[in-house]
Amino acid sequence: RRGDARLLNSALDDGEATFIKQGTYLILEKLRMSVYRTLFKKVHAIHGELEPAKANQLALSKFQIALKFCGADVDVDEVECIVANLIFRKFIKGYISHKNRVVVLSKIDPFPSLKTVFANGA
């Protein structure tokens, strides 16, 4: 709910052996995309307040900074891959401008409800 990738990683690491024995690790791993979506949504909200004219154009580097703050040491290419997966799995609506290293989000409902996302097979 909070988009705290650090907390999720810590919980998965701490209980990895137990989760694997229970057969739940892969299910819990699917939470990662939900956490990334929530974090991206927060970054988008902050960006929208700071730059209202370009609220739906978000530099990948801003999401990279948020991920680094959460303890994930990722480069811009990895961030682009994460965002591409979020788009492909319908967690966010938009596209990536590779040339400009920017995500352009839909002006209408860029973050569909998770209920909708999972109902459609994410």
Side-chain angles (χ1 to χ4, degrees), residues 89-90 93 109 111-122:
R89 294 180 182 184
K90 311 286 190 224
K93 293 180 185 175
D109 193 26
F111 300 96
S113 73
L114 289 176
K115 181 180 177 181
T116 304
V117 171
F118 286 115
N120 294 327

Side-chain angles (χ1 to χ4, degrees), residues 23-69:
T24 58
Y25 185 79
L26 292 176
I27 293 168
L28 294 172
E29 185 65 33
K30 286 187 172 189
L31 287 174
R32 190 174 309 279
M33 283 293 132
S34 297
V35 170
Y36 287 153
R37 173 198 175 272
T38 303
L39 180 61
F40 194 86
K41 188 174 181 180
K42 288 181 179 188
V43 171
H44 173 257
I46 293 168
H47 173 72
E49 288 181 18
L50 297 175
E51 296 183 49
K54 292 190 174 191
N56 290 330
Q57 296 176 18
L58 186 61
L60 290 171
S61 61
K62 293 188 180 192
F63 190 48
Q64 179 185 21
I65 291 166
L67 286 168
K68 283 188 179 184
F69 180 76

